[in-house]
Amino acid sequence: MLTLHAAPVVRHTPDDAAPLHDAAVAVDGDRIAAIGPLEELRRSYPRARVREWPGELGPALVHEGPVPDAPSPRERIHALLRRGATAVLAHHLGDAELRAAAHRGGITVLDRPRPPVLAPAGRADLAVFDADGACLATVVAGRLVHRRR
């Protein structure tokens, strides 16, 4: 099912300075179908489910530091998702259990950092942040995996 994630959209290209207001990201499966004005996307995708978010929507983050401590590898990966990160550097996944948890969670493992951007046909890794920078929601490959209540 196609979903429109609606909120001001930030960092949809590497050199964005300002958010697109009244905008949305159309997600079809695990890919971004389109980025643009919400009303235009509603017309293009009339059967889409619409999720309206109370923050700024942008690409999910690349976590460049050590994976946070937690009681289990699954909880360590979930700690990344709660921060809005859907990618981590390979050298921070030292043990097999942590690598397996990252794989099961859909986390992208990178050899080196890359700037997070949103792009049509790209993997639908999104995050929503409030005005204080707290992560409100994280989407990994089109799946909502974290939502702050």
Side-chain angles (χ1 to χ4, degrees), residues 59-87:
L61 304 176
V62 174
H63 187 79
E64 295 184 33
V67 177
D69 285 331
S72 71
R74 183 192 67 75
E75 290 170 292
R76 292 180 73 192
I77 295 303
H78 191 70
L80 293 177
L81 300 172
R82 286 193 316 268
R83 295 175 181 196
T86 63

Side-chain angles (χ1 to χ4, degrees), residues 16-105:
D16 284 335
L20 297 173
H21 292 281
D22 300 318
V25 176
V27 173
D28 189 6
D30 68 346
R31 299 286 155 187
I32 295 173
I35 302 166
L38 175 58
E39 289 310 313
E40 183 180 304
L41 293 178
R42 281 183 194 262
R43 284 191 299 275
S44 296
Y45 304 102
R47 294 180 186 258
R49 173 177 45 178
V50 178
R51 287 189 184 269
E52 295 194 36
W53 297 106
E56 288 188 334
L57 174 67
L61 304 176
V62 174
H63 187 79
E64 295 184 33
V67 177
D69 285 331
S72 71
R74 183 192 67 75
E75 290 170 292
R76 292 180 73 192
I77 295 303
H78 191 70
L80 293 177
L81 300 172
R82 286 193 316 268
R83 295 175 181 196
T86 63
V88 66
L89 299 180
H91 67 272
H92 291 298
L93 298 176
D95 68 58
E97 287 184 33
L98 189 56
R99 285 192 302 277
H103 177 74
R104 284 190 307 275

